[in-house]
Amino acid sequence: MTRSQLLAMLPILFTSATVIWVMTAIAIKRHHWWNATFSVVGLNLALIGCVIAYFVSPQIVTPLLVVDSYSCFYMALVLATGLATATLSHAYMEGYDGNKEEVYLLLNLSVLGGLVLVCARHFASFFIGLELLSVPLYGLIGYLVKERRSLEASMKYLVLSAAASAFILFGMALIYSQTGALSFTDIGARVAAVTGSSYTVVVVGGAMILVGLGFKLSLAPFHLWTPDVYEGAPAPVAAYLATASKVAVFAVLLRYFIEAKAYQYDLLLDVLAALAIISIVVGNVLALLQDNLKRLLAYSSIAHFGYLLVAFVSAGSLASEAVGVYLLTYVVTTLAAFGVVTLMSSPYKSHDADTLWDYRGLFWRRPYLTAILTVALISLAGIPMTAGFIGKFYAITAGVEKRQWLLLAAIVAGSAVGLFYYLRAMVQLYLRAPWVRKYSAPLDWASGTGGAMVVALMVLMIVLGVYPQPFISAIQAAGLH
Amino acid sequence: MILVWLLLIPFVGGLLCWQGERFGRGFPRWVALGTMMAVLGITVWLWITGDYSLTLLNGQSPRWVEEFQTSWIPRLGISFHLALDGLSLVLVALTGLIGVVAVACSWNEVQRNVGFFHLNLLWNLSGVIGVFLAMDLFLFFFFWEVMLVPMYFLIALWGHNAPGGKGRVFAATKFFIFTQASGLMMLVAILALVFVHYTATGNLTFAYEALLKTPMSASTEWWLMLGFFVAFAVKMPVVPLHSWLPDAHSQAPTAGSVDLAGILLKTAAYGILRFGVPFFPNASHEIAPFAMWLGVIGVIYGAVMSMSQNDVKRFVAYTSVSHMGFVMIGIYAGTTQSLQGVIMQMLAHGISAGALFILCGEVYERLHTRDLREMGGLWSRLPILPPIAMFFTAAALGLPGLGNFVGEFLIMVGSFKVAPVITIISASGLILAAVYSLLMMQKAFFGPTQSTEKLRDLNFREIATMLSLMILILWMGLYPQAILEITKAPMAGVEAIYAAAAKTPAAAVAGVLP
């Protein structure tokens, strides 16, 4: 392994070291603040490692991993999300009376899985990354072991996620049986030559992988777990689940499509287009009457991945750029929304503040926190001046460029329906509450790292919405060709 | 640069109002008033010093009186481009005026969260000014949507829950969804236009001037025009798409109604004049008869509906639908005369409908009802308000000598050459206007009184507001030349584009219509 290959691996190496470091630290002495700080420092080092890796990229490290500008961008995104989750967890876990420290261990492990996933160019690393990403999540979702909803969510996720992984593994095996290849590029080259009954086997294999990924991305009709798990999971974990885990999976999906030249198969694109439409419809319609903010965000994330698939399917010259911009805006917005939910529920006291009633009249108690949630909801709805609009704009642009009128109609209709529930949630924040609420963020919410992070996210949402050019340039530089 | 100030002053003023509430409730009000006065002052200054005779759309590239351009998102060919011509100027001036009036009329009405209220009001006005100035389609859409959120808050938080209605949150949400959904259709059309231009020239741009001469097939032109048309028709509102308007008006606070009727509806007409017709002249020419019939339906439907309203704000809302029908007819008649009538009608309606909504608010403050059945005989209980109401009702029904008459008259005269049947039928709207206006006056101010108790009369602030609006309406009715001169050049430009489209052989659009 050459020096530049090692440098390219820095983010992954740093994160792995952080895992061991944090584990050792916990073994020596349990101390919440120190352990949180260790993992945050480790993740920050990994983030710096991304920058170093960018300068030596592109590097192919073993047949399994590739570190190019594309993976650097997505590694940075996953790491930043991990960092945000860690800071949010710190405020949140303060109130938990069990062992708090392992959260950071599990989180770092999961981030490591995400990093491997976005660098994967081979089915083996694809699967390792995916499992490394998902398995720690079982523990994270069920971390509040004394709460029934949390445990239930964890079990549900465990069973379904394992089933999905089995699907993916079997699909890989089927494709391997006919092509004898595992790396993305080889598969692409050999599938093109496959004919007859072997072709059917490959199609079945591809379909099984798609089902598994559809589950991980919570695309309808594989979305059934999403609202329950988001509702039961601790708020910071739900934030991570909605962002980093999906971003990493989507990044590898896009890389597979481009490296294996899957864009030439119309059948595949038609299936994805159908998934997009179903996700937009199901996500938006089921969100309409939700009274639980976490469930509402879960359904909204289903719909958002429908919009994202539109950009993905109508991949013209803009494909990886549109997907990158959309994912960036989605991550920033979703983290901000879940961040406010986390701060409202911090420190943890037996139940998260998740019903809309808990937020009624919040503006008159915590005006700035409410402003952040308002901007996040407006951004989710895709109104200009916020990040969400730029993302939606790119999705629609990609659709128009490829003349996908049906998909565009779905976006327009979905957005109109979506407005209803975003506004419904938003106006609750401003209506006067007739009685004193049980939940409110602590008065000094902004002085902690979690609060500072959420404020920074709000600034980022507005900057992205008003002056997106620098971000677009960065994403353009990180494109796959 | 002065155009940027027009946007920034209300924007910053809004922030000041929000944060200034800690100095007392008066502070945000005075800041807001000062801000809108400044905007109005700048437009008046521009009006006096600028030369608006040269601005033209026809011929070569458009020439603007004031312009500001800077790079924004070069990746997608988007620039921050503001420009001003006669058409923009009069509408920005109207925005400034309505802004001042809206601040003044909510002086007593709004007592809760005064700072946040003015933040929303000023940001909404800032967005509207942006719509009137934007010369980049992305920027235009940006402002088109930005003005919605503050309006939503104005209705949802400071609105009334009128008895029998579905509540202010419902009305606000309906307003938002109607405009946003149609706005997204426009966004799709904008992007399609940009890509048509891109495929033709290899130049990705959202600039107004570049897109003006985009070559496209007749069927493409039709579809794109429809995307724009739907968005503007919802906002105007054209009759089958109007149902958000009465709800929004009846639940909105006075300032919200004034804002909505006075300027928000005008953004739609502006959009058609600035973008809809110049981008798609042939398709606009094809759809003109249909659009004009929609206008006629609006005129008559609005008038008939307003006769049966008991809520006085719903009454004014339906009269707006009726008056906007005339605007629709005038735009698609497409002669300079009718187009100038459209501008006059928009300005006069903005002022008269705004004034009527303020009067509704003032009556509500005193009687605590907006139900016409509970009014009656107010003339004897209030000395000054009823004559003022009489004046603005007369303006609304098109009494010669007042601004609305000039507008309607010019629209009629200009349209008659193009579509005599439509014009004749729509003229019945004038008679209906007289009927419903006088019915309303009769129900509210004459007849038996409910009580003999005297009501608190208008104070100095209210009288000053009303008086200035009355003077303006009178001025527009007696000496409309000042406004006609300023808008002549852009309207002549629109007419020229229209006339050119009329001459193109029918073969160009063959196969589009069944």
Side-chain angles (χ1 to χ4, degrees):
Chain A
M1 197 176 265
T2 63
R3 191 164 139 269
S4 39
Q5 279 178 327
L6 269 179
L7 284 179
M9 289 283 285
L10 271 185
I12 294 180
L13 294 178
F14 273 137
T15 314
S16 315
T18 311
V19 171
I20 299 171
W21 185 16
V22 171
M23 190 165 64
T24 322
I26 295 173
I28 294 169
K29 183 164 170 28
R30 281 190 180 278
H31 188 288
H32 187 205
W33 189 84
W34 274 113
N35 285 310
T37 308
F38 283 152
S39 58
V40 166
V41 168
L43 290 177
N44 271 313
L45 283 177
L47 210 49
I48 296 169
C50 277
V51 178
I52 299 172
Y54 174 74
F55 286 110
V56 297
S57 67
Q59 293 287 333
I60 292 182
V61 188
T62 74
L64 297 183
L65 300 176
V66 55
V67 180
D68 49 14
S69 51
Y70 175 82
S71 25
C72 285
F73 171 72
Y74 283 100
M75 282 199 287
L77 200 53
V78 170
L79 282 168
T81 314
L83 268 173
T85 313
T87 51
L88 285 175
S89 306
H90 183 254
Y92 182 84
M93 294 308 289
E94 273 298 313
Y96 182 61
D97 53 2
N99 289 330
K100 310 177 179 95
E101 291 77 9
E102 278 80 0
V103 165
Y104 306 103
L105 186 58
L106 291 169
L107 183 67
N108 280 326
L109 265 174
S110 181
V111 168
L112 181 61
L115 298 185
V116 172
L117 199 56
V118 297
C119 296
R121 58 183 292 272
H122 191 276
F123 269 166
S125 48
F126 178 9
F127 191 73
I128 292 173
L130 197 59
E131 285 303 282
L132 201 50
L133 177 74
S134 310
V135 172
L137 281 174
Y138 308 153
L140 280 174
I141 294 168
Y143 203 83
L144 312 169
V145 284
K146 285 168 198 159
E147 208 196 318
R148 197 181 59 82
R149 284 200 305 177
S150 178
L151 278 181
E152 188 187 315
S154 175
M155 283 309 292
K156 198 169 251 174
Y157 190 71
L158 169 77
V159 172
L160 290 174
S161 179
S165 297
F167 263 85
I168 291 175
L169 205 52
F170 194 52
M172 285 174 178
L174 286 180
I175 289 179
Y176 179 67
S177 72
Q178 300 306 317
T179 60
L182 282 175
S183 91
F184 294 172
T185 36
D186 293 352
I187 293 170
R190 296 198 196 166
V191 163
V194 167
T195 48
S197 62
S198 334
Y199 185 71
T200 319
V201 176
V202 171
V203 168
V204 171
M208 294 187 88
I209 296 182
L210 212 54
V211 169
L213 290 180
F215 169 84
K216 303 275 181 192
L217 293 172
S218 70
L219 295 169
F222 315 111
H223 65 283
L224 292 170
W225 58 279
T226 321
D228 292 341
V229 171
Y230 282 24
E231 188 191 357
V237 176
Y240 182 80
L241 205 55
T243 51
S245 78
K246 290 187 176 184
V247 167
V249 175
F250 210 91
V252 77
L253 184 66
L254 181 61
R255 185 191 289 283
Y256 177 82
F257 260 68
I258 287 175
E259 295 208 342
K261 302 205 168 34
Y263 271 120
Q264 52 183 306
Y265 300 104
D266 287 338
L267 175 68
L268 199 52
L269 292 181
D270 288 346
V271 170
L272 285 175
L275 286 181
I277 292 175
I278 299 173
S279 298
I280 292 173
V281 171
V282 167
N284 281 317
V285 170
L286 292 183
L288 276 182
L289 294 175
Q290 288 301 326
D291 285 322
N292 184 307
L293 191 57
K294 277 159 95 180
R295 291 182 81 89
L296 190 148
L297 288 172
Y299 284 116
S300 123
S301 97
I302 296 171
H304 273 280
F305 271 78
Y307 303 144
L308 182 57
L309 268 188
V310 173
F312 183 84
V313 171
S314 23
S317 53
L318 283 170
S320 71
E321 185 182 337
V323 168
V325 171
Y326 200 100
L327 280 176
L328 177 65
T329 58
Y330 168 81
V331 163
V332 171
T333 307
T334 310
L335 273 180
F338 273 111
V340 174
V341 175
T342 311
L343 291 177
M344 282 289 287
S345 321
S346 300
Y348 167 73
K349 36 189 178 299
S350 84
H351 201 285
D352 282 354
D354 55 6
T355 65
L356 287 183
W357 281 96
D358 293 328
Y359 291 82
R360 195 176 168 99
L362 184 67
F363 182 70
W364 315 112
R365 287 174 282 144
R366 303 282 181 277
Y368 296 102
L369 192 65
T370 311
I372 295 171
L373 187 53
T374 307
V375 174
L377 288 171
I378 291 178
S379 178
L380 283 173
I383 308 291
M385 271 184 90
T386 56
F389 172 66
I390 302 296
K392 193 166 276 175
F393 181 74
Y394 256 99
I396 295 180
T397 308
V400 170
E401 198 196 1
K402 283 283 156 181
R403 297 164 186 261
Q404 302 274 6
W405 304 121
L406 184 64
L407 292 174
L408 286 172
I411 294 191
V412 170
S415 304
V417 175
L419 258 186
F420 177 80
Y421 58 83
Y422 293 126
L423 290 180
R424 186 166 161 266
M426 195 168 81
V427 80
Q428 291 284 337
L429 303 170
Y430 295 86
L431 295 177
R432 294 248 173 216
W435 59 86
V436 180
R437 309 300 322 172
K438 193 165 128 207
Y439 293 99
S440 230
L443 266 177
D444 60 341
W445 62 269
S447 61
T449 45
M453 200 274 305
V454 174
V455 171
L457 283 174
M458 152 138 159
V459 173
L460 198 56
M461 268 193 282
I462 291 179
V463 171
L464 262 169
V466 175
Y467 190 59
Q469 180 60 34
F471 300 91
I472 293 175
S473 306
I475 289 166
Q476 239 186 320
L480 272 186
H481 305 289
Chain B
M1 201 54 203
I2 198 158
L3 301 180
V4 181
W5 285 113
L6 279 177
L7 283 176
L8 270 185
I9 290 174
F11 185 81
V12 175
L15 288 176
L16 271 182
C17 290
W18 184 34
Q19 287 304 319
E21 197 180 354
R22 60 194 69 193
F23 304 123
R25 284 181 183 171
F27 186 81
R29 294 188 181 124
W30 283 108
V31 170
L33 193 64
T35 308
M36 290 325 294
M37 287 281 194
V39 170
L40 187 60
I42 291 177
T43 53
V44 170
W45 183 77
L46 282 171
W47 190 316
I48 294 168
T49 57
D51 172 14
Y52 294 89
S53 60
L54 279 174
T55 311
L56 29 95
L57 261 169
N58 53 339
Q60 318 82 37
S61 61
R63 287 186 52 191
W64 313 110
V65 179
E66 284 284 334
E67 200 171 5
F68 177 83
Q69 186 163 20
T70 177
S71 166
W72 189 16
I73 311 177
R75 165 75 184 97
L76 298 169
I78 295 165
S79 68
F80 190 87
H81 186 188
L82 303 174
L84 182 98
D85 67 354
L87 175 61
S88 306
L89 177 79
V90 288
L91 289 169
V92 174
L94 179 70
T95 311
L97 174 73
I98 295 290
V100 172
V101 171
V103 172
C105 76
S106 42
W107 209 271
N108 274 344
E109 187 191 335
V110 173
Q111 293 294 344
R112 283 185 297 133
N113 322 115
V114 184
F116 194 50
F117 174 84
H118 286 97
L119 171 86
N120 283 308
L121 186 60
L122 291 186
W123 280 18
N124 175 267
L125 294 169
S126 182
V128 174
I129 293 174
V131 165
F132 290 143
L133 294 180
M135 285 305 147
D136 179 282
L137 279 181
F138 182 87
L139 191 64
F140 171 73
F141 182 78
F142 188 90
F143 285 125
W144 182 264
E145 299 274 293
V146 159
M147 66 187 183
L148 296 183
V149 181
M151 194 64 212
Y152 171 81
F153 276 124
L154 284 183
I155 300 175
L157 301 184
W158 289 272
H160 308 280
N161 278 322
K166 289 212 180 80
R168 54 186 200 233
V169 175
F170 172 84
T173 309
K174 188 170 174 182
F175 157 74
F176 204 132
I177 291 179
F178 263 71
T179 22
Q180 163 84 11
S182 59
L184 280 175
M185 287 183 209
M186 179 166 74
L187 178 63
V188 173
I190 288 175
L191 283 167
L193 176 66
V194 167
F195 275 101
V196 167
H197 184 260
Y198 178 62
T199 4
T201 62
N203 181 15
L204 187 66
T205 177
F206 283 75
Y208 175 67
E209 292 157 39
L211 293 174
L212 263 182
K213 296 257 154 66
T214 307
M216 58 186 122
S217 71
S219 62
T220 316
E221 190 179 338
W222 249 87
W223 283 106
L224 298 188
M225 188 274 300
L226 272 186
F228 279 77
F229 184 79
V230 168
F232 296 140
V234 166
K235 195 76 159 219
M236 182 92 97
V238 166
V239 152
L241 306 169
H242 68 289
S243 77
W244 60 272
L245 185 78
D247 283 339
H249 268 311
S250 62
Q251 318 289 357
T254 304
S257 289
V258 171
D259 193 1
L260 201 57
I263 45 181
L264 247 62
L265 304 186
K266 275 66 189 176
T267 57
Y270 170 81
I272 300 181
L273 288 175
R274 174 75 79 206
F275 300 104
V277 171
F279 279 152
F280 317 110
N282 300 313
S284 296
H285 204 267
E286 289 286 318
I287 207 179
F290 176 68
M292 286 167 88
W293 276 111
L294 282 179
V296 172
I297 295 172
V299 166
I300 293 172
Y301 177 85
V304 172
M305 285 302 282
S306 60
M307 286 181 206
S308 58
Q309 298 302 317
N310 286 321
D311 182 336
V312 67
K313 281 183 92 175
R314 283 186 91 88
F315 165 81
V316 185
Y318 276 110
T319 65
S320 294
V321 173
S322 180
H323 287 134
M324 285 295 127
F326 281 111
V327 168
M328 198 75 183
I329 296 171
I331 290 176
Y332 281 96
T335 60
T336 309
Q337 233 167 4
S338 72
L339 291 170
Q340 293 213 298
V342 164
I343 308 274
M344 283 305 289
Q345 172 81 346
M346 289 202 288
L347 298 177
H349 173 261
I351 295 173
S352 67
L356 284 174
F357 276 120
I358 296 174
L359 290 169
C360 294
E362 284 163 357
V363 169
Y364 182 79
E365 273 178 38
R366 288 162 176 80
L367 277 180
H368 303 290
T369 180
R370 296 199 318 249
D371 196 326
L372 280 170
R373 288 166 297 190
E374 293 174 28
M375 294 182 184
L378 288 183
W379 199 288
S380 60
R381 297 170 71 189
L382 283 161
I384 301 180
L385 191 148
I388 297 179
M390 190 64 163
F391 178 88
F392 284 111
T393 317
L397 66 81
L399 195 73
L402 302 176
N404 305 52
F405 170 75
V406 179
E408 278 164 15
F409 181 76
L410 281 176
I411 290 176
M412 298 273 165
V413 173
S415 313
F416 191 76
K417 290 177 277 187
V418 184
V421 180
I422 287 174
T423 314
I424 290 168
I425 298 177
S426 69
S428 67
L430 293 178
I431 300 163
L432 290 171
V435 175
Y436 64 65
S437 303
L438 295 178
L439 263 179
M440 190 276 289
M441 281 305 288
Q442 169 66 26
K443 281 189 204 160
F445 295 104
F446 301 103
T449 52
Q450 305 268 348
S451 129
T452 50
E453 185 196 349
K454 290 280 179 206
L455 294 165
R456 183 173 56 81
D457 207 15
L458 300 186
N459 59 23
F460 172 72
R461 169 181 57 82
E462 290 164 332
I463 292 176
T465 316
M466 284 298 147
L467 212 57
S468 49
L469 294 181
M470 286 161 79
I471 291 169
L472 274 172
I473 286 266
L474 257 178
W475 172 64
M476 287 166 62
L478 296 177
Y479 186 67
Q481 198 55 34
I483 293 168
L484 295 182
E485 264 167 23
I486 278 194
T487 56
K488 185 157 197 310
M491 291 304 103
V494 174
E495 192 204 10
I497 287 174
Y498 233 79
K503 281 196 206 99
T504 47
V509 283
V512 178
L513 290 170

